[in-house]
Amino acid sequence: MVKEELYITVPSVFRCPISLDVMKSPVSLCTGVTYDRSSIQKWLESGHDTCPATMQVLPSKDFIPNLTLHRLINLWIQSSTLRPGSNSPRLLPATPPAISEVQAKLLMEKVEREGCVDSLSKVAEFVSCCEENRKFVARFDGFVEVIAGVLKRKCVEIKALETAVRILDLILSENGVTEGLNKLILKSNQESKFLSAIVLILQHGSLNSKIKSVRVLDSLALDSESKRRISDSQDLISILLQLLKTNNNESLNDAVTSILTTISITRSVRSRLIENGIVEIPSNSLTEKSLKLLATLSTCSEGRSAISSEPKCAAAIVEKLLKLSKTGTEDAVTVLWSTCCLNKEEKVKEAVVKGNGVTKILVIMQREGEGNVKMMCRDLVKALRAVCKDWCLGSYETKTTHIRPC
């Protein structure tokens, strides 16, 4: 027979503000705040001259035993104890936040001083607990700076870098975090150290860490200057391309494709990606993220030529054409329009017609309102007219409300 375990709730006043454990020897500072003796001694002996809870400077580091609270705690413990031979009750864990503000300050100091995995892991565990905790640390003065600082240090072990990235990834959606990180890293001329840490994770980190590091990097590319600073890292671009070529994890590939699309704002970056065979990769496994990248590449002549010369690309796009979101559809039509109407590639036109692309383009044209997508679809129909043998497109009226062959 399984014995039931009993739990009791600890009154918050009985917990030490630093350790969150029930106080064994409560003592009060001159500020009136009570702590467990061992916890406050460690705080003061480490060189602090402030009250951890209020951060007031202490005119005196002396403390006195809080005898009244000590008696209350002892009475509470005695009344909570079961009869001899029974199971002892367990204390309920502290409700979130699982660490106090004082503990957070101590952890931050330790992370800033040592960057150790143990302290970072405690922070990561706390942050991953719930939304309340994420908001707590995002508002915590200096928190983001300390975690970002780990990624700008030299000779930090990979596990610490991975944990720091995990923490940042968890709080990216909190108000002001990405802007703060952007200013701390990409606007402070320290991006080379940060990007070196990201490269190290991409080379030697776990799969999840690689995904998170790319997501963090992508979130920091808020403006053209930030994108340029990221794209200037030759090692980073090479590793991202290598990951796309050798990795078959969809989440990682989507993250990598997204950041490559984000930083492809200059012709030189796009040219470099094209020279390294970027067009061949999404042709084998087309996703909406890779369609966005292809649409970006198709804005330059080298990109259009590369897409046109890849035989699988147009066929893969046509096959997905009616299965995409509105944004994905726009990107797909943009790529087909760029290759068929701007480059006028006959092989691409043939691939589109062969995949029943004309019908699909007509369907898209009919369901779209007036706009760029509809205009590109009209141009595509005209460009494909000569190739299509089975449809009498010469008399097709693009303003009709029904699709039917003549």
Side-chain angles (χ1 to χ4, degrees), residues 288 320-331 367-368:
E288 296 214 1
K320 290 247 184 183
L321 206 48
L322 297 181
K323 306 172 184 176
L324 301 166
S325 67
K326 187 175 179 65
T327 301
T329 299
E330 183 174 357
D331 291 330
R367 75 187 185 193
E368 287 290 328

Side-chain angles (χ1 to χ4, degrees), residues 287-352:
T287 64
E288 296 214 1
K289 296 285 188 183
S290 55
L291 271 171
K292 175 65 71 178
L293 178 57
L294 289 174
T296 301
L297 297 176
S298 70
T299 59
C300 65
S301 57
E302 301 101 304
R304 292 192 291 272
S305 297
I307 295 168
S308 300
S309 62
E310 180 54 44
K312 296 180 182 178
C313 197
I317 292 174
V318 171
E319 195 277 327
K320 290 247 184 183
L321 206 48
L322 297 181
K323 306 172 184 176
L324 301 166
S325 67
K326 187 175 179 65
T327 301
T329 299
E330 183 174 357
D331 291 330
V333 170
T334 298
V335 176
L336 295 178
W337 178 82
S338 298
T339 51
C340 293
C341 299
L342 294 183
N343 263 36
K344 301 180 180 179
E345 290 288 342
E346 293 303 316
K347 288 184 179 179
V348 177
K349 294 179 185 178
E350 290 171 5
V352 173

Side-chain angles (χ1 to χ4, degrees), residues 20-224:
L20 290 183
D21 293 328
V22 176
M23 289 182 279
K24 296 178 180 178
S25 179
V27 294
S28 300
L29 293 178
C30 59
T31 57
V33 182
T34 300
Y35 303 90
D36 190 60
R37 182 186 295 271
S38 62
S39 296
I40 194 60
Q41 279 182 332
K42 288 179 183 177
W43 170 267
L44 296 174
E45 288 171 0
S46 64
H48 295 95
D49 61 354
T50 56
C51 173
T54 65
M55 294 311 293
Q56 291 176 263
V57 176
L58 296 170
S60 169
K61 293 185 179 182
D62 295 335
F63 46 76
I64 58 174
N66 190 327
L67 300 178
T68 301
L69 186 58
H70 197 182
R71 283 195 296 271
L72 289 172
I73 291 173
N74 284 335
L75 287 170
W76 173 79
I77 291 174
Q78 291 170 14
S79 66
S80 302
T81 304
L82 299 178
R83 296 186 303 275
S86 302
N87 289 333
S88 296
R90 295 189 179 187
L91 303 183
L92 278 174
T95 54
I99 60 175
S100 65
E101 187 170 343
V102 175
Q103 283 181 308
K105 291 171 185 173
L106 289 171
L107 277 174
M108 287 300 97
E109 286 187 3
K110 195 168 184 181
V111 169
E112 190 171 22
R113 186 172 61 252
E114 304 169 7
C116 62
V117 176
D118 181 57
S119 297
L120 283 165
S121 296
K122 288 179 180 177
V123 176
E125 183 180 355
F126 172 69
V127 171
S128 62
C129 178
C130 63
E131 181 65 24
E132 181 184 346
N133 288 1
R134 289 188 280 278
K135 290 185 183 299
F136 172 77
V137 297
R139 294 192 301 264
F140 198 93
D141 186 37
F143 177 85
V144 174
E145 290 89 335
V146 169
I147 301 301
V150 175
L151 294 165
K152 294 189 288 185
R153 292 183 190 174
K154 291 183 179 180
C155 304
V156 178
E157 60 180 301
I158 185 70
K159 190 67 177 174
L161 296 177
E162 288 182 292
T163 309
V165 161
R166 179 189 169 200
I167 294 167
L168 294 179
D169 181 63
L170 283 166
I171 63 171
L172 283 176
S173 61
E174 299 303 324
N175 187 38
V177 170
T178 53
E179 293 81 2
L181 278 173
N182 177 277
K183 186 176 180 180
L184 284 168
I185 296 169
L186 297 180
K187 300 292 177 65
S188 63
N189 295 318
Q190 295 191 49
E191 73 274 6
S192 59
K193 296 176 183 177
F194 172 77
L195 293 176
S196 295
I198 298 297
V199 166
L200 193 61
I201 294 172
L202 294 177
Q203 288 176 320
H204 305 293
S206 66
L207 175 62
N208 281 336
S209 295
K210 291 176 182 178
I211 295 170
K212 287 175 172 53
S213 64
V214 177
R215 279 204 304 245
V216 169
L217 189 62
D218 201 1
S219 73
L220 300 186
L222 297 176
D223 51 40
S224 56

Side-chain angles (χ1 to χ4, degrees), residues 353 356-363 381 384-396 402-406:
V353 171
N356 199 27
V358 176
T359 303
K360 294 178 180 181
I361 290 167
L362 290 170
V363 170
V381 169
L384 297 170
R385 180 185 293 125
V387 179
C388 183
K389 307 298 183 183
D390 301 324
W391 283 64
C392 299
L393 296 178
S395 61
Y396 180 78
H402 301 285
I403 298 172
R404 61 177 183 272
C406 297

